[in-house]
C-alpha cells in the first residue's frame, strides 16, 4: 500500500520493501528502493557491506531501542566499513535498529574499516548497536552534519601493532585512531545525542599512538555532544588540533556523563597555541551540566570566549601540570589576544574525594563548590552499580546557574531539567516529592456503604499530573486520576467491616518524583456477631474425617461471608456461610494429638468479625486391622512362601505407615516395611516340614495404633526327592568292579537321610545308607550284557520317596569270535580250494584255540595251515583252511579206512611209474619220445588233484554245510570256550 509522505518539502509515494521476502539482501533492498521507501529487514544475520547511494529512504529492523536491535545483525563480508553514507544523504536517509559488527580492514592506509562511514553527508543513525569492529564505531569526515541518536557504540578495537597504517580508522586521511567510538575528522554540525559509548579500545600498544577511544574530534563547525554516557574507554574525549591546522570551531558538551575511563588526560579540550596575531580562529567550548567522575580534564592553549557551567567534577584532576607554561593560559588571559579571560567557570562542583586538591591553571569565576555531591551509588539504577543521582541532602541541588546557555529541556532520566527556576549541578535533576494528603469520608463508615477518599498532591510552580493508586495495606483497591488542581477522588463500598490502613501512592511525572500519602485508618462498622463451633467426633482417631460446623448469628440479621476453621494459628479451611448463617466443613488431616480448634467469622462489608470458643479436639492413634495371608499353602519344604500383611485403619483416611514383624509361633521370621498402600510382604524358605502357626505384628506409628493379625496355619510338606545315579565304569569286563553312586539334592541346606536300594532288571544289586545326601556301593557280579541299574529311595521326614534315572552298564565276558573270509566256498569236483579263518579276542580273552572240521561230504577232505592258534588279549590270529573233493587227497584205504595225505599220493604215483621208466632206459629199446611221454605223465600226476577216471572216487556235486569248530580255554579257565562256524561248501560238476 502506498501512502503520501511529505519530508523536506518533497512528496513521495512510500513503499515497503521486505528483506529477505522481497529482496534477498539489504543492499538489494536499498538498490530497489526509491526516495521515501522503507526497507524493512527481518531478524537474522546478514553478511554484507551496504551503501545508501544517496537515497532518502529508511532502512530499519523496526527496533525502537538498541537492545532490541540484537536480533538483526549486519556483519562485514569484505574489507571496509559495514554501512557507508557518501552520496549527499540527508536526515531523510535513516539507518535504524541494527547490530553492525565485525568490520575489518586490509592494513592499507586507504581502506577504512568502521561500523559506519559518514562522508560529507548528513544521515540519521538511530537505535543501533555498533560493536566489535576493527576500526571506529562511527567515522565522520567532510561537511557531515548527521544525527547520531540513541545508539550503543562499544567494544570497537584497534588492530595489532604490526599493522600501524590501519591505526587510523579514517583510512590515513587524519589521525583518528582505530578503536574509537566516534571519530570526527571534520564535520559541519553533527549532533551526537543520547548514545552510550563504552569499552572501546584504540590503544594497541604501539609506541606514540594517540589513544582517545571515546569521542575523537579534530574538526567541525559546531559539534554537539548531548546526553551521552561515555564510560570505560581509554580517554574519553579529544577535541582540537595542532598549530596551523584546521580545528573545530565550536564544541557543545551538554549534559554528558563521563566516568571510569582510563588515560593520562581523560578529557582533552585543546585550543590553538600560536605566537602571531594571524593565528587561525580559536575554538569555543560550551560545557553545561556534565558529570565527570574519575576523569582527568585537560584544557590546553587558547580559546574563544568559552563557558563551563553547572558541571560536576568528582575525583577529577582539572588542569595542566603547573610546570607546563601553557597551562596557565587555560582559563586566564591570552597574551596575544588582548589579555581577556577566555573561559568562564561558574556554578561547578569540583570535589577531590580523597585525592589531592586539583590544580587550577586559572581562577574559577563564581559560585563554584568543592563539596561531596552525595551520590546514591547503589545497584538499582539502569546504569548498574554506578548511580550518579544524588541524595536529597546533596549540596548540588538547585546550585546550578539557571542562566547558563543551552540548558536542555530534560535531564539524563528524561525528566524536567529545571525545578521552578532552579537547576542542579550535573546530569540528573533531583525533583521534589510532592506532599500528598489523603482524607476519607465518612470515617467511620457503615459496612456496605460507600466511602470516598480525597487525595491532594501539592505542586509548586508545576501541577502534578498522573494517576494515584489507592492501597488497603499492600493491596490495590483502585486508582484515581489527578485533575488540574492536583486533586483526585476515589469511592468504594467494598471495604469489609474492620479497620483499614489506606494510602495513596503517586508514581511521579515530568516534574515530580514518586511519593506516598499519609495513612488513613478507615474504620468500617457493622453489627456484632457471635460464632459457635461443633467438632464431631471428639475424640477422633488420627486422620479420621472430622465434621466442623460453625454458626454465626447477629441480632441484626443473618450474616454472610466466610468462616475460617483454625487449629491453633493454622488455617485448616475456609468455607462460605449458607443462607442460615452456617458453615460446614470436613477435615481428615489431623494426626494424633490435641488441637485447639476455633472458627473465625471473617468480617464482611456488613458484619463484624467474631471468633468461637476454643474446642479442644483429642485425636488418638487410629485403630488398625492387620490381615495376613500366605501363598502357596500348603507348600513344599524349601519352597518360597510369601506372607503378606495388609494394615488398614478403618476409621481413618490415612494409610498406616511403619513396619510389620512376621512370626512363626514365638520365632521371628523377619520384618517388612509397609508400602504406600499399607502392604508388607516377606518371603520365607526356612520353614520345616509340618504345620506352622504364623502371625504378623504391626508396630504402629505416631498416628496409628499397633495390631496383630489373624493366625494362619502354614502346612509344609516333604519335598519330592530328586535322585541322581552315576556308574563307573559303564563298560566293564565280566567280574570287573563297578561303582554305583546315588545322590539326593539337598533342599535349603537339608540333606536326605535313609537308605538307597540299587537294582537292575534281574533284581537287587545292593543297598547303602545315605551320608551327606549320597550313597555308594561297589559290585563285581553284574552279569554279562547291558544292565539297566536304578536307585530307589523310600523317603524320610523331609523328602518323599523317589527313583533315580537309569544307568546302563555294559558287561562283557572273556571270549573270542570266529569268522571266515569268504563266508562260503565253491569248488569243482575233483579239485580243491582255500579260505581264511580269523579268531578275535573278546573281553580280555587270551590262550590257545584249536580248529577242527566237523562232518565232511563223501571223499572231501579239510586241511588247516595251522590248526592251533595263539590268541593274545585284545588280539587276533589267522590261518588258512583248504577243502579237497578228489580221491588222492581223500582216498580211503579199504583196509584201514585212513585217508591219504597229499605226499603219500604222490609217492604212490611215482612208485607206479618209476619201473617203467627205468626199464626203458636199460633196454634202450624205447625211443626217446616214449621216455619223454613217461616223464610228462609223471609230472601231470604230480600237479593234478585228480583226474576223471584216473582215481578211485570224488565228491559228488552239491551244496554242503561243513561245521568248523574252534575250542579254546581262556586265561586258564576250567571250562573251554567253543564256537562253531557252519561253512557253506558248494561242489560243482
Amino acid at each position: 500500500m502506498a501512502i503520501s509522505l511529505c519530508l523536506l518539502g518533497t512528496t513521495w509515494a512510500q513503499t515497503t520493501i521486505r528483506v529477505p521476502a522481497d529482496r534477498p539482501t539489504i543492499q538489494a533492498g536499498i538498490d530497489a528502493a526509491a526516495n521515501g521507501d522503507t526497507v524493512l529487514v527481518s531478524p537474522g544475520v546478514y553478511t554484507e557491506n551496504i551503501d545508501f547511494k544517496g537515497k532518502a529512504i529508511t532502512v530499519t529492523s523496526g527496533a525502537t531501542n538498541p537492545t532490541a536491535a540484537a536480533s538483526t545483525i549486519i556483519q562485514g563480508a569484505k574489507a571496509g566499513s559495514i554501512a557507508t553514507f557518501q552520496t549527499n544523504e540527508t536526515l531523510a536517509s535513516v539507518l535504524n535498529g541494527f547490530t553492525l559488527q565485525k568490520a575489518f580492514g586490509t592494513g592499507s592506509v586507504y581502506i577504512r574499516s568502521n561500523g559506519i562511514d559518514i562522508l560529507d553527508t548528513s544521515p540519521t543513525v538511530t537505535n543501533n548497536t555498533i560493536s566489535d569492529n576493527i576500526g571506529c564505531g562511527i567515522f565522520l569526515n567532510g561537511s557531515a552534519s548527521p544525527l547520531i541518536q540513541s545508539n550503543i557504540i562499544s567494544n570497537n578495537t584497534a588492530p595489532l601493532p604490526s599493522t600501524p597504517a590501519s591505526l587510523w580508522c579514517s583510512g590515513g586521511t587524519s589521525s583518528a585512531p582505530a578503536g574509537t567510538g566516534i571519530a570526527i575528522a571534520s564535520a559541519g554540525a553533527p549532533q551526537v545525542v543520547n548514545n552510550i559509548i563504552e569499552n572501546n579500545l584504540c590503544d594497541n600498544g604501539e609506541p606514540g599512538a594517540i589513544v582517545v577511544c571515546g569521542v575523537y574530534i579534530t574538526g567541525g563547525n559546531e559539534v554537539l555532544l548531548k546526553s551521552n554516557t561515555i564510560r570505560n574507554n581509554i580517554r574519553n574525549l579529544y577535541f582540537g588540533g595542532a598549530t596551523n591546522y584546521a580545528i573545530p570551531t565550536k564544541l557543545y558538551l551538554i549534559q554528558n556523563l563521563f566516568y571510569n575511563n582510563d588515560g593520562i588526560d581523560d578529557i582533552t579540550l585543546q585550543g590553538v597555541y600560536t605566537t602571531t596575531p594571524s593565528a587561525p580562529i580559536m575554538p569555543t567550548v560550551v560545557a553545561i551540566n556534565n558529570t565527570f567522575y574519575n576523569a582527568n580534564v585537560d584544557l590546553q592553549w587558547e580559546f574563544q570566549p568559552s563557558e563551563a557551567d553547572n558541571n560536576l567534577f568528582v575525583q577529577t584532576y582539572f588542569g595542566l601540570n603547573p610546570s607546563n607554561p601553557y597551562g596557565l593560559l587555560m582559563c586566564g588571559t591570552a597574551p596575544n589576544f588582548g589579555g581577556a579571560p577566555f573561559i568562564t567557570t561558574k556554578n561547578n562542583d569540583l570535589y577531590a574525594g580523597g585525592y589531592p586538591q586539583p590544580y587550577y591553571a586559572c581562577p574559577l569565576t563564581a559560585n563554584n563548590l568543592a563539596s561531596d555531591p552525595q551520590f546514591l551509588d547503589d545497584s538499582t539504577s539502569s546504569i548498574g552499580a554506578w548511580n550518579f543521582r544524588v541524595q536529597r541532602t546533596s549540596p548540588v541541588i538547585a546550585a546550578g546557574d539557571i542562566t547558563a546557555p543551552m540548558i536542555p529541556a530534560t535531564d539524563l532520566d528524561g525528566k524536567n531539567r529545571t525545578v521552578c527556576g532552579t537547576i542542579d549541578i550535573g546530569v540528573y535533576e533531583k525533583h521534589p516529592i510532592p506532599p500528598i494528603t489523603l482524607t476519607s469520608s465518612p470515617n467511620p463508615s457503615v459496612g456496605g456503604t460507600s466511602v470516598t477518599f480525597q487525595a491532594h498532591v501539592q505542586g509548586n510552580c508545576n501541577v502534578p499530573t498522573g494517576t494515584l493508586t489507592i492501597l488497603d495495606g499492600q493491596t490495590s483497591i483502585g486508582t484515581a486520576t489527578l485533575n488540574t488542581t492536583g486533586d483526585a477522588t476515589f469511592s468504594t463500598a467494598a471495604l469489609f467491616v474492620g479497620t483499614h490502613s489506606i494510602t495513596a501512592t503517586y508514581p511521579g511525572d515530568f516534574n515530580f518524583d514518586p511519593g506516598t500519602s499519609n495513612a488513613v485508618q478507615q474504620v468500617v462498622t457493622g453489627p456484632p456477631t457471635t460464632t459457635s463451633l461443633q467438632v464431631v467426633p471428639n475424640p477422633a482417631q488420627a486422620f479420621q474425617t472430622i465434621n466442623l460446623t460453625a454458626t454465626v448469628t447477629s441480632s441484626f440479621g443473618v450474616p454472610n461471608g466466610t468462616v475460617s476453621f483454625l487449629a491453633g494459628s493454622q488455617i485448616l479451611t475456609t468455607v462460605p456461610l449458607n443462607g442460615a448463617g452456617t458453615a460446614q466443613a470436613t477435615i481428615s488431616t489431623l494426626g494424633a494429638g490435641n488441637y485447639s480448634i476455633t472458627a473465625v467469622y471473617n468480617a464482611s462489608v456488613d458484619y463484624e468479625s467474631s471468633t468461637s470458643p476454643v474446642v479442644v479436639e483429642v485425636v488418638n492413634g487410629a485403630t488398625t486391622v492387620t490381615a495376613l495371608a500366605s501363598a502357596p499353602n500348603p507348600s513344599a519344604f524349601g519352597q518360597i512362601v510369601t506372607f503378606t500383611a495388609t494394615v488398614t485403619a478403618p476409621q481413618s483416611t490415612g494409610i498406616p505407615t511403619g513396619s510389620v514383624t512376621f512370626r512363626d509361633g514365638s520365632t521371628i521370621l523377619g520384618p517388612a516395611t509397609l508400602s504406600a498402600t499399607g502392604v508388607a510382604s516377606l518371603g520365607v524358605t526356612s520353614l520345616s516340614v509340618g504345620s506352622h502357626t504364623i502371625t504378623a505384628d504391626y508396630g504402629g506409628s505416631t498416628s496409628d495404633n499397633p495390631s496383630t493379625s489373624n493366625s494362619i496355619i502354614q502346612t509344609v510338606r516333604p519335598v519330592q526327592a530328586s535322585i541322581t545315579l552315576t556308574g563307573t565304569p559303564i563298560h566293564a569286563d565280566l567280574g570287573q568292579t563297578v561303582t554305583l553312586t546315588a545322590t539326593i539334592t539337598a533342599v535349603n541346606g537339608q540333606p536326605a537321610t535313609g537308605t538307597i536300594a540299587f537294582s537292575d532288571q534281574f533284581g537287587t544289586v545292593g543297598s547303602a545308607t545315605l551320608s551327606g545326601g549320597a550313597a555308594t556301593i561297589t559290585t563285581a557280579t553284574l552279569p554279562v550284557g547291558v544292565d539297566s541299574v536304578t536307585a530307589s529311595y523310600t523317603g524320610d521326614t523331609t523328602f518323599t520317596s523317589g527313583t533315580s534315572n537309569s544307568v546302563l552298564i555294559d558287561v562283557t565276558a572273556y571270549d573270542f569270535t570266529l569268522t571266515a573270509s569268504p563266508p562260503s566256498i565253491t569248488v569243482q569236483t575233483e579239485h580243491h580250494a582255500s579260505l581264511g579263518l580269523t579268531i578275535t579276542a573278546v573281553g580280555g580273552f587270551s590262550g590257545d584255540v584249536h580248529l577242527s572240521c566237523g562232518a565232511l561230504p563223501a571223499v572231501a577232505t579239510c586241511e588247516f595251515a595251522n590248526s592251533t592258534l595263539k590268541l593274545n588279549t585284545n588280539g587276533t590270529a589267522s590261518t588258512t583252511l583248504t577243502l579237497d573233493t578228489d580221491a588222492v587227497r581223500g582216498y580211503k584205504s579199504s583196509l584201514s579206512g585212513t585217508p591219504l595225505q597229499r605226499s603219500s599220493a604222490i609217492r604212490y604215483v611215482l612208485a607206479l611209474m618209476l619201473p617203467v621208466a627205468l626199464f626203458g632206459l636199460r633196454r634202450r629199446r624205447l625211443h626217446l619220445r616214449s621216455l619223454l611221454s613217461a616223464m610228462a605223465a609223471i609230472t601231470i600226476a604230480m600237479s593234478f588233484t585228480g583226474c576223471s577216471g584216473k582215481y578211485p572216487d570224488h565228491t559228488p556235486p552239491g551244496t554242503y554245510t561243513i561245521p568248523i569248530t574252534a575250542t579254546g580255554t581262556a586265561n586258564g579257565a576250567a571250562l573251554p570256550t567253543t564256537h562253531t562256524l557252519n561253512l557253506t561248501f558248494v561242489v560243482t560238476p
Side-chain angles (χ1 to χ4, degrees), residues 703-896:
S703 295
D704 299 288
N705 294 333
S707 59
T708 299
S709 73
N710 55 298
S711 298
I712 61 172
I713 303 301
Q714 178 68 35
T715 301
V716 180
R717 296 174 176 172
V719 67
Q720 175 70 48
S722 175
I723 307 172
T724 302
L725 177 64
T726 60
T728 304
I730 59 173
H731 297 287
D733 294 328
L734 181 65
Q736 184 178 354
T737 297
V738 175
T739 300
L740 301 172
T741 300
T743 303
I744 299 179
T745 303
V747 176
N748 229 15
Q750 175 68 44
T753 61
T755 301
I756 294 289
F758 301 87
S759 59
D760 62 8
Q761 66 268 35
F762 303 109
T764 300
V765 175
S767 63
T769 300
L770 287 165
S771 176
T776 300
I777 65 169
T778 57
T779 179
T781 61
L782 292 179
V784 172
V786 177
D787 287 280
S788 178
V789 182
T790 58
S792 58
Y793 175 61
T794 57
D796 61 8
T797 57
T798 302
F799 296 88
T800 61
S801 61
T803 301
S804 74
N805 56 296
S806 296
V807 173
L808 300 178
I809 305 296
D810 185 7
V811 180
T812 305
Y814 295 130
D815 204 348
F816 60 86
T817 60
L818 173 64
T819 57
S821 179
S824 63
I825 190 170
T826 300
V827 65
Q828 186 179 9
T829 187
E830 299 182 3
H831 289 74
H832 66 274
S834 300
L835 56 80
L837 294 177
T838 301
I839 56 173
T840 302
V842 177
F845 181 96
S846 64
D848 293 336
V849 178
H850 178 72
L851 299 173
S852 62
C853 293
L856 294 171
V859 183
T861 61
C862 72
E863 182 178 354
F864 295 97
N866 187 355
S867 61
T868 299
L869 301 176
K870 180 67 175 180
L871 189 59
N872 296 322
T873 301
N874 298 323
T876 60
S878 299
T879 188
T880 300
L881 170 64
T882 300
L883 294 174
D884 200 341
T885 61
D886 59 31
V888 174
R889 293 181 62 86
Y891 181 75
K892 295 182 180 179
S893 171
S894 59
L895 297 177
S896 63

Side-chain angles (χ1 to χ4, degrees), residues 148-468:
I148 301 172
Q149 184 169 353
S150 300
N151 302 283
I152 296 176
I153 305 168
S154 66
N155 297 298
N156 298 287
T157 61
L160 296 174
S162 59
T163 55
S166 60
L167 282 176
W168 314 113
C169 68
S170 54
T173 62
S174 74
S175 58
T180 298
I182 297 179
I184 302 175
S186 63
Q191 303 176 69
V192 180
V193 180
N194 197 35
N195 301 281
I196 296 176
I197 304 169
E198 63 182 352
N199 300 319
N200 295 288
L201 178 62
C202 60
D203 182 5
N204 68 350
E206 182 178 359
I210 298 176
V211 284
V212 180
C213 303
V215 179
Y216 186 91
I217 308 170
T218 59
N221 293 328
E222 294 187 4
V223 179
L224 172 65
L225 268 66
K226 179 181 177 181
S227 298
N228 299 285
T229 298
I230 305 174
R231 61 193 179 197
N232 302 324
N233 304 288
I234 295 182
R235 192 180 291 177
N236 254 333
L237 173 65
Y238 175 84
F239 173 84
T243 304
N244 298 326
Y245 279 85
I247 62 173
T249 304
K250 294 181 180 180
L251 172 64
Y252 300 104
L253 294 178
I254 310 300
Q255 196 172 266
N256 297 285
L257 174 60
F258 299 86
Y259 71 95
N260 280 13
N261 298 282
D262 186 23
I264 297 174
D265 297 321
D266 192 50
I267 311 295
T268 299
L269 306 180
Q270 188 178 80
V272 173
Y273 167 64
T274 181
T275 59
T276 65
S278 62
I281 297 175
M282 294 176 291
T284 295
V285 175
V286 178
I288 306 296
N289 280 101
N290 298 283
T291 294
F292 301 91
Y293 179 84
N294 192 24
N296 301 313
V297 180
D298 181 9
L299 284 78
Q300 297 184 32
W301 317 124
E302 298 177 357
F303 295 83
Q304 289 280 17
S306 298
E307 190 158 352
D309 298 342
N310 304 339
N311 298 290
L312 183 54
F313 299 92
V314 177
Q315 296 182 359
T316 299
Y317 183 88
F318 187 68
L320 288 176
N321 190 306
S323 64
N324 186 334
Y326 302 111
L328 299 175
L329 300 177
M330 184 182 70
C331 293
T333 61
N336 298 315
F337 296 94
F342 282 81
I343 298 182
T344 301
T345 55
K346 297 185 301 181
N347 298 78
N348 300 286
D349 185 12
L350 300 97
Y351 178 64
Y355 287 79
Q357 188 66 25
Y359 165 74
Y360 308 119
C362 66
L364 303 177
T365 303
N367 300 322
N368 294 288
L369 305 176
S371 303
D372 182 354
Q374 300 179 20
F375 290 138
L376 288 178
D377 196 23
D378 61 23
S379 61
T380 61
S381 71
S382 60
I383 61 173
W386 298 99
N387 191 337
F388 297 102
R389 299 167 183 84
V390 298
Q391 302 177 40
R392 294 195 173 274
T393 58
S394 170
V396 304
I397 295 175
D401 182 4
I402 193 65
T403 65
M406 300 185 71
I407 292 176
T410 61
D411 70 354
L412 211 58
D413 278 335
K415 300 184 75 171
N416 195 353
R417 178 70 266 192
T418 62
V419 177
C420 295
T422 66
I423 187 170
D424 298 346
I425 297 174
V427 294
Y428 296 106
E429 192 73 21
K430 201 70 175 181
H431 298 88
I433 298 174
I436 304 172
T437 303
L438 181 67
T439 61
S440 67
S441 180
N443 192 2
S445 62
V446 177
T449 62
S450 180
V451 179
T452 298
F453 296 94
Q454 184 73 37
H456 176 72
V457 182
Q458 180 65 48
N460 42 30
C461 63
N462 300 301
V463 177
T465 60
T467 300
L468 302 177

Side-chain angles (χ1 to χ4, degrees), residues 71 147 257 282 570 629 664-665 808 887 969:
S71 60
L147 172 62
L257 174 60
M282 294 176 291
Q570 179 184 2
D664 179 2
L808 300 178
T969 302

Side-chain angles (χ1 to χ4, degrees), residues 469-487:
T469 299
I470 312 302
L471 299 174
D472 181 359
Q474 300 298 317
T475 303
S476 173
I477 59 175
T479 60
T481 301
L482 293 169
N483 61 19
T484 56
T485 62
D487 294 309

Side-chain angles (χ1 to χ4, degrees), residues 1-5 11-17 34-38 58:
M1 179 179 68
I3 63 174
S4 178
L5 175 66
T11 302
W12 297 307
Q14 187 182 54
T15 300
T16 297
I17 299 172
N35 289 339
D37 288 349
T38 296
T58 297

